[in-house]
Amino acid sequence: MTTLRLSFDRIRKQLASIARHPYFGFLAFGSILVVLRLLAIGGVIPNSLMKSLVITMIYAIIALGFSLLLGYGGLASLGTAGFVGLGTYFIGHFSGTLGYPFAATLLISLLGAIVLGAIVGFISLRIEGMYLAIITLGLSEILREVFKSFTAFTNGVNGLGFRDFALFGLPVSDTAVDFIVIFVFILIILGTLNIIKSPTGRALLAMKNSDSAAQSMGIGLMKYRLLAFILATIYAVIGGLLYMMDQQFSIPTTWSLDFSLNILAAVVVGGAQSITGIILGTFMIFGLNMTVLKEIAFFREYPDATWIVSGLLIILITMFYPGGLIRLIQAIRFWLVKTGKKLKRKWRIHRYGEDD
Amino acid sequence: MAKMIDSLLQGFRLHRLNRLRDQRSFLENYLPILVKAIRDREARRTALWNERAEAALRGPAILADIATPALAAEKQAALAKIEERYRWRFKALAQSKKRALERSADPAVETTFAHRAEELESRKRQTLTKCALRFETPLERSQSDLAAAKEAYRLKSEAVQAKAEKRLTLEKAKADRSVAAKTASYESKIALLGNKIEAVRGVLIARRSADADSMMPEDVLLSVRNLSMRFGGLLAVDNLSFDVRKGEIFGLIGPNGAGKTTIFNCITRFYRATAGEMLYRKNAVEVIRLNDYPVHDIIRQGIVRTFQNVELVWELSILDNLLVAAHTVYRTGFFGQLFHTPKLRREEEVMRAKAFSVLNTLGLLPYAFAIPYGLPYGILKKIELARTLMAHPRLIILDEPAAGLNDKETEELAVLIKKIRDDYHATIFLVEHDMGLVMDVCDTICAISFGKKLALGTPAEIQADKLVRSAYLGEES
Ligand SMILES: Nc1ncnc2c1ncn2[C@@H]1O[C@H](COP(=O)(O)OP(=O)(O)O)[C@@H](O)[C@H]1O
């Protein structure tokens, strides 16, 4: 019996060490998403809720890329929308209209992202801060004009549809797309985690804190600025590919400044350096009105009022928790622990009298 | 043409030499970490086997009424736990009594509670006895039975001990074998690399062009020649020359605005010098012109600097800050980092071990996992210093290290600077305003004023120099 207890102890210790691994939380989160999707198949939860969660995940991928830029590299950009839009047209045109295999589309998209990211990265070496943001905004608007006018590529202002998506010759159903999104989302989270916990992540942070200190430690500005922009662009383009798979439609009006600003807000509100924070932030900006508010009668009557709620939340959080939602969560956790301790103490005094 | 090819070949050899050296230093640093991991595993398994042996003997020991130390300890712990539980129960009872008495002064209350206390006391005694019984044999037995049980225990304990000993020796032999194998394989690799390094070095030195030596004497590490720096109409540094010798502590002093920081920034390539050149002996065979290197390559040549106003990464722990400073030492590429390959993990382990050893040298270990926010300024300055030691420095340039420190901290700093020079075999170049520190630690001092050299010499010579005195007195009066 004692031997049994010993082995239990060992198993418990091992489980605890697994649970402490940084991947654990995110893998568990992914499993929950998969279970939710399965429940939606079974009809336990509404399909519309699942749809909103899937699109939120896609936005969260884009936001994660943006956080590498803003939260780690300290670089401002308002060009996100254009890059995401480009991703949607890449898949819509090459896999949809032209019927290329998906691998070719992916390759083209990644190359496109690298070239574009490198261009913006080079610009960022000369122009910094607010001006850089404005230039990226301009770039994004140029892209939008391209989307409008290059009708052979984008079908112009009428929008481009994308149906009958096939992978390796097999048709992919809507449900399968959801699983793909979940899978890519978790992969991207783990990859981001690896990057920020490696010399590259630390180099980006060093660059954000001080250009000159970073350079004196051998961190070349050119390499890391380019890298930050290329990564953010790749994330955005991947987001675009997934968006097209999920929504099956892309129209230039979607890829306006609003979209970029919403991503920016999601990152800032969530907490620019925390993956959990950014997921929460994205949910707050994009997911909340689609899942929760939509169920409230008032908002069904005035759907635009949901933006007022988002706006208010942004103002409140940035006012009281400049570090983002993640700070709020930490504060709540801290408060719960503290209150728990206080209650326990009160109960002790009630039951056992003052300490001796 | 032949000369160009020759220099190209020398370049290749140098590159190869550096790579080989990196590989060797990685292997040398990783071996102790590996050995420690093997030993830790051995210790864990040893503890496990001991626990198992104790567990196997528990039953027979109880049967034979033998209080082995482990059993005695377990019994005592169990009894103490019960005592503690009842102590709280008695406290709760006392509290209820107090409250009941507050409600009514009925004498019946007293008796009820006395009764309940008695009941609790007897329950406690029962529990204690029952618990104690768990550690004794429950059977009524004759002397001979007991003797048989004792004999059985003796046999069992011998068997268990023999088995445990066998396991432990096996475990130890396995670990020893593993350590020996790893050590041997690593050492042979290191020796092989050593041979290669020697070979490449031999060729390099044999083919060395005479230029390097003619450019700069053997014992000079950094030679600044006719340096000038002009900002618009202002000539901040005016035709300045000096040599920094290997292994010395060199001080550059001058009143405010003399151009010290400007010189410093020229050497580290933050400013582009208007005229003049800076030669640096990178290694035994190579003298380079620092003018040809971009800022972020300076550290790769072995020149590390600190900043006057502490420039740490505020979001990262002190340990991670040191790892940032080791940036150039990492060999894993981006994709290795993206997938956290074993190579990266091994490198991270080596760097962390190095960081801990540096922190230990500077007495900063307690802060390893702290965030720099809110740490005392003296500590932050020391962290800046610690960072310079992460990337194999040959020349450490300190920008006013004593600025903002009190007298005691400055004294500590002096000791530390000497220690760093001796332990890390680095040359130290310091730009300083604090005369006390400079006179205390420097071997050679260069005094400047308005971008021009006033004097160059030992501290005693500088103190005696008329020009220096007038420049300083002029400022102070
Ligand atoms: N970036 C710059 N642009 C223009 N003038 C500068 C610059 N840096 C330093 N100077 C000028 O050069 C002179 C020397 O300054 P500095 O090297 O900082 O002196 P110190 O470090 O000895 O106090 C000062 O007169 C200063 O105004």
Side-chain angles (χ1 to χ4, degrees), chain A residues 131-164:
Chain A
Y131 301 102
L132 179 63
I134 289 170
I135 286 201
T136 52
L137 172 63
L139 203 70
S140 180
E141 289 300 311
I142 292 173
L143 278 174
R144 204 150 73 92
E145 285 308 314
V146 170
F147 299 157
K148 277 192 204 154
S149 33
F150 276 68
T151 43
F153 176 50
T154 63
N155 202 23
V157 287
N158 298 323
L160 184 65
F162 177 64
R163 298 229 157 59
D164 309 324

Side-chain angles (χ1 to χ4, degrees), chain B residues 420-444:
Chain B
I420 286 175
R421 192 252 317 251
D422 298 338
D423 288 2
Y424 289 84
H425 310 294
T427 307
I428 290 173
F429 179 152
L430 97 151
V431 170
E432 187 50 79
H433 203 67
D434 184 288
M435 287 301 262
L437 180 73
V438 176
M439 294 300 162
D440 191 16
V441 302
C442 289
D443 302 313
T444 312

Side-chain angles (χ1 to χ4, degrees), chain A residues 6 10 194-195 198 200 202-203 208-210 212-213 215-218 220 224 273 350-353 356, chain B residues 48 51-52 88 91-92 95 99 270 296 299 307 311 313-315 324-325 327 330 337-338 340 348 387:
Chain A
L6 282 180
R10 243 200 354 273
N194 282 350
I195 292 173
S198 71
T200 301
R202 293 192 291 259
K208 176 184 168 193
N209 272 270
S210 155
S212 43
Q215 282 179 309
S216 78
M217 287 183 288
Y224 284 94
Q273 279 150 25
H350 170 79
R351 174 93 204 268
Y352 300 113
D356 41 32
Chain B
L48 193 72
E51 251 175 57
R52 284 222 180 132
W88 285 104
K91 277 185 82 165
Q95 185 73 3
R99 224 168 276 136
F270 277 91
H296 63 261
I299 190 171
F307 286 85
E311 298 264 20
V313 184
W314 299 97
E315 290 99 331
V324 173
H327 187 82
Y330 280 91
Q337 297 180 21
L338 181 60
H340 261 226
E348 290 264 289
R387 283 204 306 188

